[in-house]
Amino acid sequence: MRNGPTIARIAQDSGIQALSVHGRTRNCFFKGDAEYATIALIKQSVTIPVIANGDIDTPQKAKYVLEQTGADAIMIGRAAQGRPWIFREINHYLEHGTIAAEPDLQEIETILTKHLDNLYDFYDDYIGVHMARKHVSWYSKGQPNGGKFRDYFNHLETTTEQRKAIKEFFAELRNELEHAEC
């Protein structure tokens, strides 16, 4: 990143229309904190739109990164895995300054089911079933019995089995939630 402003100017002079900057050096990979000061220097060195990326996992962090870097936009990566609603949460926070309500279990199930249907449609059933395992792992992370469910889900071989397992998993979660509220 130390040569980021120079590279950004070269890219701009070569005709690119926008630049996305991940705030880490290649050697850092996903370790350490993103370098927002360097992204700010890059933004100051070019006239094209700059998109900041790196460690943005909450609406508050999104606002902080925009303010600290002066970037024109942000890019969300790993934080959206299993949480695609993070984008609406960020938009809500930036527009209203308040935290939006988390989606309830029914909405998460609906989003996940549509996501899986899109995977099955885009790929074929065989590849879609295997791709679904990774995505379901992200959605179920942090849920009660999520690890046990992932172990079970990762052995399912058909879209029908996977759809049924998702329905049962979320029904159990809702049932546990109802009993916990009593």
Side-chain angles (χ1 to χ4, degrees), residues 22 30 53-59 61-62 74-90 102 138-139 141:
H22 185 74
F30 296 111
N53 177 256
D55 298 336
I56 304 168
D57 56 2
T58 66
K61 187 72 170 268
I74 55 170
M75 182 184 304
I76 307 298
R78 289 175 290 155
Q81 294 173 331
R83 284 183 57 215
W85 49 87
I86 191 172
F87 301 103
R88 78 168 181 218
E89 291 175 341
I90 290 170
E102 290 277 329
W138 293 324
Y139 279 91
K141 185 177 180 181

Side-chain angles (χ1 to χ4, degrees), residues 7-119:
I7 300 299
R9 284 189 298 276
I10 291 169
Q12 177 178 268
D13 293 345
S14 297
I16 69 162
Q17 300 296 304
L19 180 64
S20 178
V21 181
H22 185 74
R24 289 191 179 84
T25 64
R26 185 174 63 113
N27 291 339
C28 289
F29 292 102
F30 296 111
K31 296 183 179 170
D33 296 326
E35 297 178 20
Y36 301 125
T38 303
I39 296 174
L41 290 173
I42 291 170
K43 173 60 184 162
Q44 293 167 8
S45 72
V46 295
T47 58
I48 58 175
V50 172
I51 303 157
N53 177 256
D55 298 336
I56 304 168
D57 56 2
T58 66
Q60 299 91 326
K61 187 72 170 268
K63 183 177 181 190
Y64 172 82
V65 170
L66 286 167
E67 290 172 348
Q68 293 300 306
T69 64
D72 300 284
I74 55 170
M75 182 184 304
I76 307 298
R78 289 175 290 155
Q81 294 173 331
R83 284 183 57 215
W85 49 87
I86 191 172
F87 301 103
R88 78 168 181 218
E89 291 175 341
I90 290 170
N91 284 337
H92 179 87
Y93 189 77
L94 293 176
E95 290 175 12
H96 305 286
T98 60
I99 304 295
E102 290 277 329
D104 63 18
L105 289 174
Q106 182 60 54
E107 184 178 6
I108 294 171
E109 179 183 0
T110 300
I111 292 168
L112 173 55
T113 301
K114 287 180 183 177
H115 191 158
L116 295 184
D117 287 342
N118 287 332
L119 285 172

Side-chain angles (χ1 to χ4, degrees), residues 95-170:
E95 290 175 12
H96 305 286
T98 60
I99 304 295
E102 290 277 329
D104 63 18
L105 289 174
Q106 182 60 54
E107 184 178 6
I108 294 171
E109 179 183 0
T110 300
I111 292 168
L112 173 55
T113 301
K114 287 180 183 177
H115 191 158
L116 295 184
D117 287 342
N118 287 332
L119 285 172
Y120 303 147
D121 288 344
F122 184 77
Y123 298 100
D124 55 36
D125 284 356
Y126 178 79
I127 294 172
V129 162
H130 291 84
M131 293 288 290
R133 293 172 179 170
K134 169 176 59 175
H135 293 274
V136 167
S137 174
W138 293 324
Y139 279 91
S140 62
K141 185 177 180 181
Q143 297 289 354
N145 299 315
K148 182 178 175 185
F149 175 69
R150 285 188 296 279
D151 289 341
Y152 168 72
F153 191 88
N154 286 341
H155 291 91
L156 300 177
E157 295 294 333
T158 69
T159 59
T160 302
E161 291 172 323
Q162 286 187 342
R163 285 182 176 109
K164 181 179 178 208
I166 294 295
K167 280 187 183 299
E168 291 171 355
F169 177 66
F170 279 93

